[in-house]
Amino acid sequence: MARLSLLIRCQACGHEFDTGIRMDRRNFARATFASNYHTCPRCGRRGTYHKEDFRVQEEGSPNSPGAGRGEQ
Ligand SMILES: [Zn+2]
């Protein structure tokens, strides 16, 4: 099963960055992500993010247009 990279968009500056979290699609579907703190590498803003804030991207397929989009 392909592993997913979890990305989020900074609440302050809108910069999208990789959270470093890796998991497969099944685990992502089960995960709750009640509250996760992430710090934006661009502006340094630390924010709390929830599951709906994550964008998932399949690892190893960076050239697939739209990979992971619209699968909420
Ligand atoms: Zn930021």
Side-chain angles (χ1 to χ4, degrees), residues 10 13-17 39-45:
C10 176
C13 73
H15 176 62
E16 189 175 79
F17 62 96
T39 302
C40 175
R42 187 153 98 176
C43 71
R45 174 70 162 269

